[in-house]
Amino acid sequence: MSFTTRLSRKELNPDPPKPPDPRDTAMQEAAARTLGDLARSSPPTIPTVAGRLPDTAVKILAEYHMEALRYGLHVHHGDASGADNYAANCWRQALPELSTHRDVLTFIACIAWGARNRIIAPQDAKMLMYVAQTQLTVLKLISSAEREPTPLPPPSTPSLFGREEAPEPGGDAARLLPPAPQSTTEPPARPRGKRGRA
């Protein structure tokens, strides 16, 4: 038994390859020129965003990301994927440390911007937001512990003679306390035993 396949006439005699369309070639050359214009020959300087307001820091890091992307295009010879990875790594290195309350808020704003612009993966953004939230809680606890509590004066105490002692000068809390109970009646007599002796 033999199996034969029928090939169409077009498959037996394919058309010769078409010459490149001049419009496509012109577009490729324009894209190469644009990439060349965008490329940067020197690496960008890492900006310092510590202590800045969140919106200012986000703008600075957005510009830095663009400069790193341009340099990545130069380094990776126009490979957009390699340039994007390079720029994302540079952007992460420029994020502020979580040392002060303002830096944590700046960090959160930058991570939100990076997640929105797909510079950072959603899972990484979620983890970094959790880290920032935890650090913010720790900073709040530290700042509340550093505040010295105002000492309260001791409460007024009854003296041996049933009179209330005067509170110490400046002791507002002692004045707000209710007065100590004072006995106005004589103490009850002791019960006498069977023989009437006390």
Side-chain angles (χ1 to χ4, degrees), residues 5-172:
T5 58
R6 289 190 172 185
L7 296 174
S8 69
R9 187 172 201 186
K10 190 164 190 150
E11 291 172 330
L12 288 174
N13 297 319
D15 294 333
K18 293 182 183 177
D21 187 4
R23 290 177 292 181
D24 292 340
T25 306
M27 287 183 72
Q28 289 174 353
E29 289 174 2
R33 276 195 309 273
T34 303
L35 287 175
D37 292 343
L38 287 177
R40 177 188 165 111
S41 60
S42 62
T45 306
I46 296 176
T48 303
V49 292
R52 304 247 184 174
L53 291 174
D55 58 340
T56 306
V58 167
K59 288 177 187 175
I60 290 170
L61 286 183
E63 291 171 4
Y64 175 66
H65 179 262
M66 188 55 76
E67 290 176 12
L69 188 61
R70 289 179 188 146
Y71 182 69
L73 286 171
H74 173 73
V75 169
H76 293 282
H77 308 290
D79 177 29
S81 176
D84 193 38
N85 288 337
Y86 173 80
N89 287 335
C90 288
W91 179 82
R92 283 187 203 102
Q93 290 176 355
L95 289 172
E97 293 183 9
L98 303 175
S99 56
T100 65
H101 187 268
R102 179 180 278 184
D103 288 345
V104 173
L105 296 178
T106 301
F107 182 86
I108 289 170
C110 291
I111 293 297
W113 181 86
R116 186 176 59 235
N117 291 299
R118 296 188 178 135
I119 294 173
I120 189 167
Q123 301 87 354
D124 294 340
K126 185 177 179 180
M127 181 207 45
L128 290 172
M129 289 287 195
Y130 176 75
V131 168
Q133 181 184 8
T134 304
Q135 181 64 13
L136 197 58
T137 304
V138 168
L139 288 173
K140 284 180 183 178
L141 289 174
I142 289 172
S143 67
S144 67
E146 287 177 350
R147 287 189 218 131
E148 294 181 25
T150 54
L152 294 176
S156 61
T157 56
S159 69
L160 296 174
F161 304 107
R163 292 187 214 147
E164 188 176 298
E165 292 182 3
E168 294 180 16
D172 291 336

